Amino acid sequence: MSRYDHTKYRPFPPVQLKDRQWPDQVINKAPIWCSVDLRDGNQALVDPMTVEQKKCLFQLLVKIGFKQIEVGFPAASQPDFDFVRALIEENMIPDDVTVQVLTQAREHLIDRTIEALQGVKKAIVHVYNSTSTVQREQVFRMSREEIIEIAVSGVRMVKERVANHPNTDWRLEYSPESFTGTELDFAVEICDAVVKEWQPTREKKIILNLPATVEMSTPNVFADQIEWFCRHIGQRDCIEISLHTHNDRGCGVAAAELGIMAGADRVEGTLMGNGERTGNMDVITMAMNLYSQGVNPELYLADAQEIVEVVEACTQIPVNPRHPWVGELVYTAFSGSHQDAIKKSLSQQKPEQGWNVAYLPIDPQDLGRSYEAVIRINSQSGKGGVAYVLEADYGLKLPRWLQVEFARVVQARTEAEARELKRQEIWDAFNQAYLIHPDLAELVSYKLERSDRDYLTAVIRQQGRSGELQGEGKGALHALTEALKQVLDQEIQITEYSEHALSTGSDAKAVTYIQLKVGEQVYCGVAISEDTVAANLNAVLAAVSPVLAARVIEAA
């Protein structure tokens, strides 16, 4: 159909839940996490993972802290079967980790699944069958009763077979697949039948997983569905309600968060949201969302770069640089106003205070990121960003008036080259503008005699020529400007002055920043020296260097 026609779609019906409670709830602890990277994530890959890639990813999931990991669909393929066997036979499963495997409610698949799990210490057998209206009516052409019988008979077969392996700690998970497209009363009916067959206890609960196999509504409607289900399911104290949201509408994380507020206990998802179509719920994003609210996510995410690298290597899918929390650019500011706000906020941040920095919802260092990547300089950057780089990397605390001037230098270069400048290039540009430019006049030596006034004799060098200056004034700077006034035959007035130490100790260097007027023209100079007086004098000389160079050319 070539015509864009919205009328062929119908709005998702709202849930009749007048006294809903979930909007007033606050998430104050992490849910039970279950990674489905090795099953749901893997089955969505163009090139499924090899056994070795799966082992690598499994080890990462264990390191992150997942205690429940769905490791495959061993009855569906030989590689999945072999991987499950490798985990068990190579003793790769820690004692506190439970592996989960998926199977349809069919006898030969259940038998193969139990075979794959021989010798495992703890396992969750995850049984599912489709329950949605469209699946019942158009795919299977079955009644509700027939769909319930499939689920119950599958659970019965699992129950009979695991009884023959008492050395394994068995749990059951049941999913009414496409829960979001299933009538709520039928979802409760089929789950009640499964619970009755399995006979869970408070000490050994059954997991009822409610998948948004396809995301069909706004997250608030999904939360209504979960709250309605939690209210109506029987034996609630013997059940863990689990969520498995997908991202078809781009709201998989939001739906999971609201679903937890609505009463769910457990969340299934993948690292970085890999999965069918637009992907699964992203565990990294949801966990970091909790962390940013002061809630312990109970997952170790401090080495974000390692997580990204392993996931990319195993899935062959690059992580978007704007991916929430762990993307390469998510803590990076190019905008000048953003950079200035970040610089000022960081300078006032104190360790004993809660994190409160403009444009940075968390401290990037918590995820193993350095502050070096926070501010990067391109044509949109302003004085604050440039100043931040020079201070963070080189210890220079540029006064505002110099920030403004040097930012123009940087912007002109970024516009001319149409690219971002690296931090070293910014430092090189600063050197060329103020510290090593070819017209720079430098102090060779000086003698300062102090009495009621200061008498200065200075030898300077510019463009290979040396000369002597003499002047007197109230301080060394005044004496030098008086000497230069005689040479240039123009008024010289220092309008801005700033200095600071670059380090501590007896051999610390000082940096001086000078802004002055020669006539009506404004010039800036910077100098660095272990001798504070020399730094002051050189900064003045650096500022007047263009005028001195022009005078030499005129004289020639």
Side-chain angles (χ1 to χ4, degrees):
M1 181 180 223
S2 59
R3 189 162 129 358
Y4 187 72
D5 182 11
H6 66 278
T7 62
K8 63 183 176 181
Y9 303 108
R10 294 180 297 279
F12 194 87
V15 177
Q16 298 305 310
L17 193 66
K18 300 300 184 185
D19 59 340
R20 58 183 57 83
Q21 302 298 307
W22 65 262
D24 294 325
Q25 304 304 308
V26 175
I27 303 175
N28 53 25
K29 67 175 183 177
I32 300 166
W33 300 108
C34 178
S35 160
V36 294
D37 293 81
L38 294 164
R39 198 277 302 170
D40 207 350
N42 183 58
Q43 74 184 40
L45 298 176
V46 175
D47 297 311
M49 286 180 269
T50 65
V51 170
E52 289 307 311
Q53 285 174 320
K54 286 182 180 180
K55 286 181 181 179
C56 180
L57 187 51
F58 179 83
Q59 290 170 332
L60 175 67
L61 295 170
V62 169
K63 181 178 179 180
I64 289 173
F66 285 97
K67 302 306 179 186
Q68 297 180 8
I69 303 173
E70 191 166 78
V71 292
F73 195 153
S77 72
Q78 192 62 43
D80 267 21
F81 186 94
D82 292 342
F83 173 59
V84 175
R85 291 310 309 156
L87 291 178
I88 297 168
E89 292 169 4
E90 296 175 26
N91 199 29
M92 293 181 62
I93 306 169
D95 290 343
D96 62 346
V97 172
T98 302
V99 292
Q100 177 174 305
V101 292
L102 184 71
T103 181
Q104 292 173 318
R106 297 163 62 184
E107 185 172 16
H108 70 285
L109 298 178
I110 291 172
D111 286 340
R112 182 69 166 163
T113 300
I114 302 302
E115 180 185 353
L117 291 169
Q118 295 297 305
V120 72
K121 294 175 183 177
K122 296 190 291 187
I124 297 170
V125 179
H126 182 184
V127 179
Y128 77 98
N129 67 313
S130 296
T131 59
S132 68
T133 310
V134 67
Q135 293 269 25
R136 294 197 319 267
E137 294 178 353
Q138 298 186 29
V139 179
F140 299 110
R141 298 177 181 270
M142 288 184 175
S143 66
R144 285 187 174 193
E145 292 73 23
E146 290 172 313
I147 296 294
I148 291 173
E149 178 53 32
I150 291 174
V152 171
S153 64
V155 170
R156 187 180 302 121
M157 285 185 281
V158 172
K159 187 176 181 180
E160 291 170 352
R161 283 152 179 78
V162 300
N164 297 323
H165 304 279
N167 293 329
T168 295
D169 180 4
W170 298 100
R171 292 188 69 190
L172 180 77
E173 175 174 344
Y174 172 70
S175 289
E177 192 198 9
S178 300
F179 164 78
T180 46
T182 303
E183 305 92 330
L184 286 173
D185 65 319
F186 181 55
V188 168
E189 183 182 359
I190 194 169
C191 287
D192 275 338
V194 164
V195 171
K196 182 179 179 180
E197 178 63 39
W198 186 254
Q199 291 294 302
T201 65
R202 292 179 182 177
E203 293 72 31
K204 200 165 186 178
K205 298 180 180 181
I206 188 174
I207 301 168
L208 295 182
N209 187 52
L210 307 179
T213 308
V214 177
E215 187 176 33
M216 304 172 72
S217 70
T218 52
N220 62 299
V221 174
F222 179 72
D224 281 349
Q225 291 178 306
I226 299 303
E227 183 169 336
W228 196 99
F229 184 93
C230 290
R231 290 188 190 185
H232 290 83
I233 191 70
Q235 295 184 251
R236 180 67 180 91
D237 59 346
C238 298
I239 296 167
E240 279 180 9
I241 302 295
S242 176
L243 307 176
H244 182 114
T245 57
H246 278 254
N247 208 38
D248 299 271
R249 295 170 54 93
C251 301
V253 170
E257 290 180 333
L258 268 56
I260 291 295
M261 292 164 60
D265 311 295
R266 180 179 184 267
V267 170
E268 295 187 347
T270 61
L271 302 180
M272 266 69 83
N274 175 44
E276 293 176 299
R277 302 180 309 280
T278 56
N280 282 57
M281 198 287 299
D282 178 7
V283 173
I284 298 281
T285 297
M286 183 171 174
M288 287 306 304
N289 287 356
L290 297 180
Y291 182 79
S292 71
Q293 300 301 304
V295 177
N296 181 0
E298 298 181 15
L299 294 175
Y300 179 77
L301 305 174
D303 193 347
Q305 190 57 37
E306 180 191 20
I307 295 171
V308 169
E309 289 173 357
V310 172
V311 170
E312 287 184 332
C314 292
T315 65
Q316 304 300 306
I317 298 175
V319 173
N320 192 294
R322 298 294 182 188
H323 187 284
W325 302 115
V326 296
E328 179 187 357
L329 297 179
V330 295
Y331 305 107
T332 300
F334 292 100
S335 162
S337 61
H338 290 200
Q339 292 175 346
D340 189 55
I342 291 171
K343 175 182 179 293
K344 290 174 178 174
S345 295
L346 284 174
S347 69
Q348 299 176 61
Q349 185 69 23
K350 294 180 173 57
E352 65 274 12
Q353 296 175 331
W355 183 256
N356 188 27
V357 174
Y359 299 108
L360 293 178
I362 68 162
D363 185 346
Q365 291 186 328
D366 291 350
L367 288 172
R369 297 290 177 82
S370 70
Y371 289 141
E372 291 181 4
V374 169
I375 291 177
R376 289 164 59 173
I377 307 302
N378 64 15
S379 61
Q380 301 178 88
S381 305
K383 65 183 187 318
V386 173
Y388 174 85
V389 170
L390 291 176
E391 181 174 351
D393 290 10
Y394 304 102
L396 297 181
K397 300 176 183 178
L398 270 59
R400 187 180 186 281
W401 49 268
L402 188 57
Q403 292 178 26
V404 173
E405 174 173 296
F406 183 55
R408 295 194 192 104
V409 174
V410 173
Q411 186 172 28
R413 181 169 172 183
T414 58
E415 288 176 351
E417 300 186 18
R419 66 178 180 86
E420 172 191 358
L421 288 189
K422 294 181 172 58
R423 299 167 90 89
Q424 180 63 46
E425 290 177 311
I426 294 169
W427 174 241
D428 291 344
F430 186 84
N431 273 277
Q432 290 161 12
Y434 301 107
L435 299 175
I436 58 171
H437 63 81
D439 291 334
L440 190 68
E442 296 179 286
L443 191 68
V444 177
S445 63
Y446 74 93
K447 182 180 180 181
L448 189 63
E449 297 177 2
R450 298 182 183 276
S451 59
D452 58 326
R453 291 175 68 80
D454 293 292
Y455 298 89
L456 174 71
T457 303
V459 177
I460 67 170
R461 180 173 55 240
Q462 186 180 38
Q463 297 178 339
R465 299 184 180 90
S466 296
E468 184 177 274
L469 295 175
Q470 291 184 337
E472 63 177 273
K474 297 177 181 178
L477 289 178
H478 188 207
L480 179 58
T481 57
E482 287 297 305
L484 289 167
K485 178 180 175 181
Q486 298 172 30
V487 173
L488 299 174
D489 195 25
Q490 294 188 71
E491 286 292 329
I492 299 176
Q493 179 185 3
I494 294 176
T495 53
E496 298 284 357
Y497 170 87
S498 179
E499 69 173 4
H500 64 83
L502 282 176
S503 58
T504 59
S506 58
D507 59 347
K509 291 183 178 180
V511 58
T512 300
Y513 312 98
I514 292 284
Q515 184 189 78
L516 53 76
K517 281 185 176 181
V518 179
E520 294 302 316
Q521 187 66 39
V522 177
Y523 299 92
C524 295
V526 181
I528 298 172
S529 176
E530 292 178 3
D531 180 340
T532 302
V533 174
N536 291 344
L537 298 176
N538 267 320
V540 172
L541 291 172
V544 300
S545 289
V547 187
L548 284 172
R551 179 56 58 91
V552 170
I553 292 172
E554 289 173 5

PDB file of all heavy atoms in Angstrom, residues 178-189:
ATOM      1  N   SER A 178       2.850 -13.031  24.497  1.00  0.00           N
ATOM      2  CA  SER A 178       2.007 -11.937  24.017  1.00  0.00           C
ATOM      3  C   SER A 178       0.952 -11.576  25.058  1.00  0.00           C
ATOM      4  O   SER A 178      -0.219 -11.362  24.736  1.00  0.00           O
ATOM      5  CB  SER A 178       1.351 -12.291  22.678  1.00  0.00           C
ATOM      6  OG  SER A 178       2.327 -12.548  21.696  1.00  0.00           O
ATOM      7  N   PHE A 179       1.408 -11.481  26.299  1.00  0.00           N
ATOM      8  CA  PHE A 179       0.508 -11.102  27.394  1.00  0.00           C
ATOM      9  C   PHE A 179      -0.230  -9.804  27.091  1.00  0.00           C
ATOM     10  O   PHE A 179      -1.423  -9.667  27.377  1.00  0.00           O
ATOM     11  CB  PHE A 179       1.316 -10.957  28.688  1.00  0.00           C
ATOM     12  CG  PHE A 179       0.608 -10.207  29.783  1.00  0.00           C
ATOM     13  CD1 PHE A 179      -0.373 -10.823  30.551  1.00  0.00           C
ATOM     14  CD2 PHE A 179       0.917  -8.863  30.044  1.00  0.00           C
ATOM     15  CE1 PHE A 179      -1.036 -10.123  31.561  1.00  0.00           C
ATOM     16  CE2 PHE A 179       0.264  -8.168  31.050  1.00  0.00           C
ATOM     17  CZ  PHE A 179      -0.714  -8.787  31.801  1.00  0.00           C
ATOM     18  N   THR A 180       0.466  -8.830  26.498  1.00  0.00           N
ATOM     19  CA  THR A 180      -0.161  -7.533  26.264  1.00  0.00           C
ATOM     20  C   THR A 180      -1.312  -7.607  25.275  1.00  0.00           C
ATOM     21  O   THR A 180      -2.174  -6.732  25.258  1.00  0.00           O
ATOM     22  CB  THR A 180       0.875  -6.509  25.753  1.00  0.00           C
ATOM     23  OG1 THR A 180       1.671  -7.113  24.724  1.00  0.00           O
ATOM     24  CG2 THR A 180       1.781  -6.056  26.883  1.00  0.00           C
ATOM     25  N   GLY A 181      -1.341  -8.655  24.440  1.00  0.00           N
ATOM     26  CA  GLY A 181      -2.443  -8.836  23.493  1.00  0.00           C
ATOM     27  C   GLY A 181      -3.454  -9.865  23.962  1.00  0.00           C
ATOM     28  O   GLY A 181      -4.311 -10.300  23.183  1.00  0.00           O
ATOM     29  N   THR A 182      -3.332 -10.272  25.218  1.00  0.00           N
ATOM     30  CA  THR A 182      -4.223 -11.283  25.802  1.00  0.00           C
ATOM     31  C   THR A 182      -5.254 -10.598  26.700  1.00  0.00           C
ATOM     32  O   THR A 182      -4.901  -9.688  27.459  1.00  0.00           O
ATOM     33  CB  THR A 182      -3.407 -12.289  26.639  1.00  0.00           C
ATOM     34  OG1 THR A 182      -2.405 -12.887  25.803  1.00  0.00           O
ATOM     35  CG2 THR A 182      -4.294 -13.370  27.228  1.00  0.00           C
ATOM     36  N   GLU A 183      -6.490 -11.039  26.615  1.00  0.00           N
ATOM     37  CA  GLU A 183      -7.493 -10.495  27.528  1.00  0.00           C
ATOM     38  C   GLU A 183      -7.050 -10.750  28.961  1.00  0.00           C
ATOM     39  O   GLU A 183      -6.613 -11.841  29.308  1.00  0.00           O
ATOM     40  CB  GLU A 183      -8.856 -11.155  27.287  1.00  0.00           C
ATOM     41  CG  GLU A 183      -9.359 -11.071  25.860  1.00  0.00           C
ATOM     42  CD  GLU A 183      -8.973 -12.276  25.004  1.00  0.00           C
ATOM     43  OE1 GLU A 183      -7.901 -12.885  25.277  1.00  0.00           O
ATOM     44  OE2 GLU A 183      -9.717 -12.596  24.075  1.00  0.00           O
ATOM     45  N   LEU A 184      -7.174  -9.751  29.820  1.00  0.00           N
ATOM     46  CA  LEU A 184      -6.655  -9.868  31.175  1.00  0.00           C
ATOM     47  C   LEU A 184      -7.311 -10.998  31.956  1.00  0.00           C
ATOM     48  O   LEU A 184      -6.634 -11.711  32.705  1.00  0.00           O
ATOM     49  CB  LEU A 184      -6.810  -8.543  31.922  1.00  0.00           C
ATOM     50  CG  LEU A 184      -5.833  -7.440  31.501  1.00  0.00           C
ATOM     51  CD1 LEU A 184      -6.178  -6.120  32.176  1.00  0.00           C
ATOM     52  CD2 LEU A 184      -4.391  -7.838  31.826  1.00  0.00           C
ATOM     53  N   ASP A 185      -8.594 -11.164  31.785  1.00  0.00           N
ATOM     54  CA  ASP A 185      -9.249 -12.238  32.524  1.00  0.00           C
ATOM     55  C   ASP A 185      -8.743 -13.600  32.081  1.00  0.00           C
ATOM     56  O   ASP A 185      -8.590 -14.523  32.888  1.00  0.00           O
ATOM     57  CB  ASP A 185     -10.769 -12.162  32.384  1.00  0.00           C
ATOM     58  CG  ASP A 185     -11.237 -12.390  30.954  1.00  0.00           C
ATOM     59  OD1 ASP A 185     -10.593 -11.875  30.014  1.00  0.00           O
ATOM     60  OD2 ASP A 185     -12.250 -13.096  30.768  1.00  0.00           O
ATOM     61  N   PHE A 186      -8.421 -13.736  30.785  1.00  0.00           N
ATOM     62  CA  PHE A 186      -7.886 -15.013  30.303  1.00  0.00           C
ATOM     63  C   PHE A 186      -6.446 -15.215  30.763  1.00  0.00           C
ATOM     64  O   PHE A 186      -6.039 -16.337  31.106  1.00  0.00           O
ATOM     65  CB  PHE A 186      -7.960 -15.094  28.780  1.00  0.00           C
ATOM     66  CG  PHE A 186      -7.443 -16.394  28.233  1.00  0.00           C
ATOM     67  CD1 PHE A 186      -7.953 -17.618  28.680  1.00  0.00           C
ATOM     68  CD2 PHE A 186      -6.432 -16.424  27.288  1.00  0.00           C
ATOM     69  CE1 PHE A 186      -7.456 -18.829  28.187  1.00  0.00           C
ATOM     70  CE2 PHE A 186      -5.935 -17.623  26.786  1.00  0.00           C
ATOM     71  CZ  PHE A 186      -6.459 -18.832  27.243  1.00  0.00           C
ATOM     72  N   ALA A 187      -5.663 -14.134  30.813  1.00  0.00           N
ATOM     73  CA  ALA A 187      -4.291 -14.252  31.314  1.00  0.00           C
ATOM     74  C   ALA A 187      -4.291 -14.754  32.749  1.00  0.00           C
ATOM     75  O   ALA A 187      -3.493 -15.632  33.123  1.00  0.00           O
ATOM     76  CB  ALA A 187      -3.579 -12.894  31.228  1.00  0.00           C
ATOM     77  N   VAL A 188      -5.183 -14.229  33.567  1.00  0.00           N
ATOM     78  CA  VAL A 188      -5.290 -14.685  34.950  1.00  0.00           C
ATOM     79  C   VAL A 188      -5.775 -16.130  34.999  1.00  0.00           C
ATOM     80  O   VAL A 188      -5.252 -16.958  35.770  1.00  0.00           O
ATOM     81  CB  VAL A 188      -6.248 -13.768  35.749  1.00  0.00           C
ATOM     82  CG1 VAL A 188      -6.604 -14.408  37.099  1.00  0.00           C
ATOM     83  CG2 VAL A 188      -5.596 -12.404  35.968  1.00  0.00           C
ATOM     84  N   GLU A 189      -6.749 -16.474  34.159  1.00  0.00           N
ATOM     85  CA  GLU A 189      -7.300 -17.826  34.158  1.00  0.00           C
ATOM     86  C   GLU A 189      -6.242 -18.875  33.822  1.00  0.00           C
ATOM     87  O   GLU A 189      -6.109 -19.901  34.508  1.00  0.00           O
ATOM     88  CB  GLU A 189      -8.457 -17.912  33.160  1.00  0.00           C
ATOM     89  CG  GLU A 189      -9.153 -19.268  33.141  1.00  0.00           C
ATOM     90  CD  GLU A 189     -10.275 -19.338  32.109  1.00  0.00           C
ATOM     91  OE1 GLU A 189     -10.528 -18.327  31.414  1.00  0.00           O
ATOM     92  OE2 GLU A 189     -10.912 -20.425  31.985  1.00  0.00           O
TER      93      GLU A 189
END
